[in-house]
Amino acid sequence: MQTGAIHFLLLAIICNLETYHAASSYGTVKTLAGSISGREDGTGTYALFNEPRGMAISSGNTFMFVADTMNHKIRKVTFPTSSYTAGMYATNCTNGFLTSYSSTTAASCESYCLADTSCNGFVHSYNDECITSSLPSCLLDTTCTESVNITRCFYSYNGPAVETVAGGGDFGRTSGFFDSFGTSALLNMPYSIALTSNNLLMYVTEAGNNIVRKIDISNSYRVTHLAGGGRVGTFADIGDGTGTSAGFSFPTGMVLSSDDSTLYIADSANNKIRKLVVSSAEVTTILGGSGTDISGMSLDGTGTAMLLSLPMGIAMSVDATQLYISELGNHRLVKMTLET
């Protein structure tokens, strides 16, 4: 069994942090996709989610997968190659409206706009939102005078494309427990996603089915049952074992080792951290008190001598020597040093 020393992490909480601090230090924050609750595929804010939780970004940063938890499906979000498209428009003003425009390359438009000291630029997006990031403030000039020919720039924001790749069933948000390909498979509250380094496989914890699923991206998103008994509503299902003989209870957070060989899972309702060897589907408890879903708060300890309460999130250090775990029930973070 893999065990290690557990240490508390003390959190410094800074109150009254104002929004403009984040904006000035880290740049503009913009909605990438989604708006109101829903289940539709689409582009940018036209795509809809229902309580999305875990995410995994591809190694090339070109797309990511999202656990759309209450729609019971996995969504793929493909990032646009360019955030904005643009064109130079020779426009006429007729009765107060801009008309007679023709586009050219985005590069030409940007070059023109940045050099336009007379402030004849116009910046616009697909949802009527002004885009001013990295562009002069004079580009907000929208004056339109009768019979005056002006040249303006038009910028439109390219939102990411969102598509459903697994789960949802025929009605788009059906929950269940059924292995199949893509949207023919049924999931139940997918929570966290781990993606292999070659972007060919992903693993999903399902809080509603108490299992871990494997999705073969390279094989038409084939969904298979990797581990867990799948006994819905069994909140004392803590047994170690292999494949379906092992048990989970509301598994949430998950992290995959850098060599893609091992999953570490926050088995939340069982108050434990579980290790899942991918090749054999062997599940063992590496942290959390022994016995039936025992919870509590203990000082630093080792392995099953340490008590946890509703562990939810889990992360691994870059050198793969430490696990970091967030505990909902104990309002704390703990660190576990893995054996080498």
Side-chain angles (χ1 to χ4, degrees), residues 36-59:
I36 62 174
S37 174
R39 62 180 185 273
E40 286 75 16
D41 290 342
T43 302
T45 55
Y46 293 109
L48 301 179
F49 299 87
N50 190 356
E51 298 188 25
R53 286 179 170 82
M55 298 180 293
I57 299 179
S58 67
S59 56

Side-chain angles (χ1 to χ4, degrees), residues 182-240:
T183 56
S184 295
L186 294 181
L187 312 177
N188 192 346
M189 293 180 64
Y191 203 101
S192 285
I193 299 175
L195 184 62
T196 57
S197 55
N198 61 7
N199 300 326
L200 296 181
L201 294 172
M202 73 173 114
Y203 303 96
V204 180
T205 56
E206 283 185 70
N209 278 332
N210 301 314
I211 61 174
V212 178
R213 307 286 274 276
K214 179 175 76 172
I215 301 179
D216 188 344
I217 300 167
S218 62
N219 186 17
S220 302
Y221 292 94
R222 183 185 181 190
V223 179
T224 55
H225 183 180
L226 180 63
R231 293 175 284 278
V232 179
T234 305
F235 290 102
D237 191 3
I238 62 173
D240 290 344

Side-chain angles (χ1 to χ4, degrees), residues 57-78:
I57 299 179
S58 67
S59 56
N61 296 320
T62 57
F63 61 88
M64 69 179 175
F65 293 105
V66 179
D68 192 1
T69 302
M70 298 314 295
N71 277 328
H72 311 291
K73 53 190 180 181
I74 304 299
R75 316 289 289 279
K76 181 181 180 182
V77 180
T78 303

